[in-house]
Amino acid sequence: MCGIVGYVGYREAYPIIIKGLKRLEYRGYDSAGAMIYDGESLKHSKTKGKVTDLESRASAEISLNGSIGMGHTRWATHGVPNDVNSHPHFSNSGEISIIHNGIIENYEPLKKELINRGYTFTSDTDTEVLVNLIEEVQRKENLKIGKAVQVALNQVVGAYAICVFDKKYPDQMVVARLGSPLAIGIGKDEFFVASDASPFIEYTSNAIYLEDEEMAIIRKDKPVKVRKIKDDTLVDPYVQELQMNLEQIEKGGYDHFMLKEIYEQPNVIKDTYRGRLHANEGIIQMAGVEDNLEKFTNAERILIVACGTSWHAGLVAEYIFEEFTRIPVEVEYASEFRYRNPIINKGDVLIAISQSGETADTLAAIKLAKEKGAFVFGVCNVVGSSISRESHAGAYTHAGPEIGVASTKAFTTQITVLTMIALRLAKAKGTLSNSDFHRYLQELEVIPEKVADALLTNDVSKEIAAKFKDAPNCLYLGRGYNFPVALEGALKLKEISYIHAEGYPAAEMKHGPIALIDESMPVVVIAPKQGHYDKVVSNIQEIKSRNGKIIAIVTKGDIQVRGLADFVIEVPDTTEALTPLLTTIPLQLLSYHIAVMRGCNVDQPRNLAKSVTVE
Ligand code: M6R
């Protein structure tokens, strides 16, 4: 995890770095630091806490004049979050500085060897070992900094995106990547380095995304040279045109990114299906699917791997794919999949779902599936991300940057993409009747308006939030398509409000969780008219007779559940398979308001980071 930013050019580096770090705080925010070279020395400041804490400290400690520098926002792996463990780290001579996102797995033997050679260490980090290894290699072999970085990286096991500056080469910065993302923004006589393109989108729309095992030397007035770390071969880098704009990554008048992103859902769902769904013509077209249609239709099974919210979208997709296409589907946590020697057959299709496209476990699961001969299809949001590049084919969700750590619009756009894929395959396989196919297309097309309608539940969600904000526990129940929504509702609540919450299939309640129910237990029941309604009503009755407090998500106009529940939130009616796109909205709002009322940091909940690029 962690976010890195670097600048080499003619402007003041410090404000660019600070602003960039704020945009990357979603990657980690337990400490922050920056280094500016002012023409004489490496001025730096670092602190436990957020980028704003760094700002208050840096003005006294750091020279603000300098047009080359780097910054880091951390999510701790080795060493607790404190000032000393914060980046940048410096070599023993004080001449070389480094920022690092990743983990050096063999840092302990390397550290021992360096200690034997007289090196000392002030932090507990693996990164301080790496910067001293670079210095040692440079000293021993009398190498320029670029070469020294390359030789050192060839001794390292692990993952990294790094930025290295050496005072002896004051016009350049060395960057490298393996397993952690690194983008180079290309301006006129200036270059930017960052974990993603958000820190530099107002300066340039051209970027190079380094591939794994590549490095580059960046000088203000020279083209970027990219090389393979292992064998030093020169690579012709692909300069990509960025699709992001500044407005997309600012809060746009909302108090939090999460709320902004919840409200963006009607528009981004439209963006997701724009150009792909033509309801009147009865057409669904997605290039990645069309080009590989036979692989999908011949598949004997589809495996879905993902983590967190993306895994929940995968579970919804399991219901949709099996219902529409009759292809068997297995959904698995990527972290489990990669470590259990799974059976993968040549004809299997593996769908990897990831908002960031950088989740380490999902990436590793893809690599494993590829080794075993599966066809890998990525469903990612971040364009050019590692998972999208590592997949054989894929479809972007086009949700725009999701900054809030709690995933919201990623979930609904993932479901939208997956529904479209399932519909396309159903058409090709003939597993849905023509009328059902057309009905689903029409329903999907109007879903954005229905999501907008579901957002009108904000006030009632807020009122209910006020009643339950102090509850220590909460249970979420749903059946069928809405069982994964129950899991997702519980995840949203726990991650941003720190209330313990569990999601269960409603029918499983009597196999254990019912023991938890008493008058102090809020139970959120997802009970739309479409899908096992009567069964869910019975479950609600079981909760009621044990005095549980029932918050029910129902279809507009529902009378039966209204008569039983303590609170109801109404969403528009839709076809059963699409209900998750609506029922999830009030759950997002409920969690959001509870977290705000509890004074929690909604966009940056404790201990979390937006993209989990470590195991
Ligand atoms: O970027 P990804 O979709 O691969 O991320 C997966 C999970 O880390 C992510 O969904 C996480 O669970 C969110 N914080 C949930 O809101």
Side-chain angles (χ1 to χ4, degrees), residues 275-341:
R276 294 165 161 175
L277 167 73
H278 308 276
N280 289 339
E281 292 84 7
I283 292 173
I284 285 198
Q285 266 178 330
M286 304 171 88
V289 179
E290 292 307 320
D291 295 347
N292 299 284
L293 200 55
E294 273 189 18
K295 291 203 174 76
F296 276 104
T297 50
N298 292 338
E300 282 183 10
R301 106 191 140 135
I302 293 177
L303 302 165
I304 298 182
V305 292
C307 301
T309 290
S310 299
W311 182 71
H312 297 154
L315 290 177
V316 175
E318 179 180 18
Y319 285 84
I320 297 177
F321 271 83
E322 291 200 343
E323 169 97 24
F324 291 8
T325 71
R326 307 310 295 153
I327 303 172
V329 176
E330 285 171 34
V331 188
E332 189 157 346
Y333 283 122
S335 52
E336 288 299 312
F337 183 83
R338 66 182 286 200
Y339 283 120
R340 70 163 182 85
N341 193 15

Side-chain angles (χ1 to χ4, degrees), residues 159-224:
Y160 50 78
I162 54 168
C163 234
V164 180
F165 174 80
D166 181 350
K167 192 182 158 189
K168 299 186 285 306
Y169 302 88
D171 64 333
Q172 60 185 265
M173 199 169 267
V174 184
V175 298
R177 112 159 233 181
L178 174 60
S180 304
L182 193 145
I184 304 171
I186 321 257
K188 190 169 169 352
D189 296 333
E190 62 180 345
F191 295 93
F192 307 81
V193 178
S195 303
D196 69 31
S198 62
F200 54 78
I201 41 168
E202 62 263 59
Y203 304 106
T204 177
S205 52
N206 294 320
I208 295 170
Y209 288 87
L210 281 195
E211 297 288 344
D212 275 350
E213 302 192 333
E214 286 181 356
M215 62 178 290
I217 296 181
I218 297 172
R219 294 190 185 91
K220 156 173 133 179
D221 44 9
K222 298 223 167 84
V224 177

Side-chain angles (χ1 to χ4, degrees), residues 200-489:
F200 54 78
I201 41 168
E202 62 263 59
Y203 304 106
T204 177
S205 52
N206 294 320
I208 295 170
Y209 288 87
L210 281 195
E211 297 288 344
D212 275 350
E213 302 192 333
E214 286 181 356
M215 62 178 290
I217 296 181
I218 297 172
R219 294 190 185 91
K220 156 173 133 179
D221 44 9
K222 298 223 167 84
V224 177
K225 274 202 174 144
V226 179
R227 296 175 180 281
K228 289 272 174 209
I229 296 168
K230 271 212 179 101
D231 59 14
D232 203 40
T233 47
L234 269 178
V235 175
D236 191 13
Y238 170 60
V239 180
Q240 190 163 320
E241 197 167 330
L242 301 171
Q243 295 181 354
M244 236 182 240
N245 63 48
L246 191 56
E247 204 182 55
Q248 283 178 308
I249 58 163
E250 288 180 344
K251 279 191 204 149
Y254 288 92
D255 287 345
H256 298 95
F257 280 111
M258 182 183 176
L259 191 61
K260 175 184 174 229
E261 289 155 9
I262 290 174
Y263 272 89
E264 279 174 351
Q265 288 175 107
N267 284 336
V268 295
I269 292 173
K270 254 189 208 152
D271 291 342
T272 304
Y273 70 52
R274 181 167 296 123
R276 294 165 161 175
L277 167 73
H278 308 276
N280 289 339
E281 292 84 7
I283 292 173
I284 285 198
Q285 266 178 330
M286 304 171 88
V289 179
E290 292 307 320
D291 295 347
N292 299 284
L293 200 55
E294 273 189 18
K295 291 203 174 76
F296 276 104
T297 50
N298 292 338
E300 282 183 10
R301 106 191 140 135
I302 293 177
L303 302 165
I304 298 182
V305 292
C307 301
T309 290
S310 299
W311 182 71
H312 297 154
L315 290 177
V316 175
E318 179 180 18
Y319 285 84
I320 297 177
F321 271 83
E322 291 200 343
E323 169 97 24
F324 291 8
T325 71
R326 307 310 295 153
I327 303 172
V329 176
E330 285 171 34
V331 188
E332 189 157 346
Y333 283 122
S335 52
E336 288 299 312
F337 183 83
R338 66 182 286 200
Y339 283 120
R340 70 163 182 85
N341 193 15
I343 296 166
I344 304 170
N345 304 317
K346 278 244 156 35
D348 286 342
V349 169
L350 179 129
I351 301 181
I353 311 172
S354 174
Q355 186 286 129
S356 61
E358 301 295 345
T359 300
D361 285 323
T362 312
L363 199 50
I366 288 181
K367 288 183 179 161
L368 178 66
K370 278 172 76 179
E371 273 164 32
K372 298 201 176 197
F375 170 70
V376 175
F377 191 89
V379 174
C380 296
N381 187 35
V382 177
V383 175
S385 56
S386 304
I387 291 174
S388 65
R389 290 202 308 265
E390 197 64 43
S391 303
H392 293 118
Y396 286 116
T397 49
H398 298 312
E402 191 180 67
I403 309 290
V405 164
S407 236
T408 50
K409 62 178 179 170
F411 182 63
T412 44
T413 52
Q414 285 163 349
I415 293 175
T416 305
V417 162
L418 293 159
T419 306
M420 287 193 291
I421 299 173
L423 284 168
R424 179 65 189 95
L425 301 189
K427 182 162 175 127
K429 285 176 74 83
T431 42
L432 269 185
S433 71
N434 228 1
S435 64
D436 277 348
F437 178 75
H438 284 276
R439 187 168 55 83
Y440 282 121
L441 259 53
Q442 300 287 348
E443 261 310 308
L444 193 55
E445 193 176 43
V446 296
I447 272 291
E449 283 87 74
K450 295 190 177 183
V451 172
D453 196 329
L455 285 166
L456 300 175
T457 61
N458 184 50
D459 288 350
V460 61
S461 300
K462 195 169 174 181
E463 278 163 32
I464 297 171
K467 304 254 189 263
F468 294 102
K469 69 178 175 40
D470 297 320
N473 298 293
C474 190
L475 210 51
Y476 286 73
L477 304 177
R479 291 183 88 123
Y481 288 93
N482 282 291
F483 156 54
V485 176
L487 296 179
E488 174 60 8

